[in-house]
Amino acid sequence: MSDWESDKSADWGDKPVEPEKESKPFFGRKSPKLPPESGRDWKLIEKLVMSLQSEQRKSRRWGIFFKFLTFGYLIALLFLIKFPLGDSLEGVTGKHTALVEINGPIAADELASADNIVGSLRTAFEEPNSVAVILRINSPGGSPVQSGYVYDEIKRLRDEYPEKKVYAVISDIGASGAYYIAAAADEIYANRASLVGSIGVVAGGFGFTEVMEKIGVDRRLYTAGENKAFLDPFSPEQEEEVTFWQSVLENTHQQFIEAVRQGRGDRLADDERLFSGLVWSGEQAVELGLADGLGSASHVARQIIGQEELVDYSRRKSPFQDIVDQLGVAFGEGFASQLVESRLELR
């Protein structure tokens, strides 16, 4: 018998393919038998579905994480608003010279507001270990009302604490309303290149009447009171309104001049340009009597006061306020107000 006809199983080559067992039916129904290719496709689909489920779970977990993170961030901001970190004094021990900073525009909604400056001054004067107070100024000026508040308070504190002198030290600029405040000090110092003075008043705005005519816009303004629409930027300028407004500026200017004369006294030079709104260098300011000498805050503390250690009593912005400022949330509002308002300022 030949090997091809033998019943003996082959020892080489492929083994006989056994028939596949039929799968058990699910729920009493017989499952259809799928070809091998379809089985591989289903496995790929299954892997894809599992992968999508895994990604969804990860996405949900990250979503929960970021929600908790945002919630914690808001809680921290609310805490900083309620308990700001910028009002505390550090290391007030022993005799020292008190320092109060006046930085930036002087206005009610700025860091250099009368409330902040006056609060810092009161704390500095009330501290038994402070031997004198230095106002370190770097401001172009601002509101005559806010400047007047600070001026009056410095005068009052000087009378209440006659043993403590107040020194104003101008760094980059001490002009307009900032100089108004400086004039209340016992002495004023500046750097030779500082900008000092600008004793004047300014108010400005814009007129849009011609633009409105070109684009075909009508101004519809309804008032009760003949002057309620005073200096409206969208209405034609009225000569009598301009004359009246100029009288207000002149009156405010005279208040400024009087404050400077009271503060500086006979030290002022007899120069009619002093109150013309011009700004002077530190060296020129000394010659004109607007300043008493040249020097920094540390120089005044060391050489004039005789107490070199400086302790800063200035009120600072909280971290939350810094974040808001950096984001520039108020930029649009500030631009719009400058565009349409006529604001009185010392410059």
Side-chain angles (χ1 to χ4, degrees), residues 1-6 12:
M1 181 181 294
S2 66
D3 291 337
W4 298 102
E5 299 176 354
S6 175
W12 56 273

Side-chain angles (χ1 to χ4, degrees), residues 103-117:
N103 288 320
I106 300 169
D109 54 351
E110 297 286 347
L111 184 60
S113 66
D115 288 341
N116 288 338
I117 298 171

Side-chain angles (χ1 to χ4, degrees), residues 80-106:
L80 291 174
I81 295 172
K82 184 68 176 177
F83 306 103
L85 305 178
D87 295 336
S88 61
L89 295 174
E90 297 180 0
V92 182
T93 57
K95 298 295 181 181
H96 60 268
T97 298
L99 179 69
V100 175
E101 301 266 9
I102 300 178
N103 288 320
I106 300 169

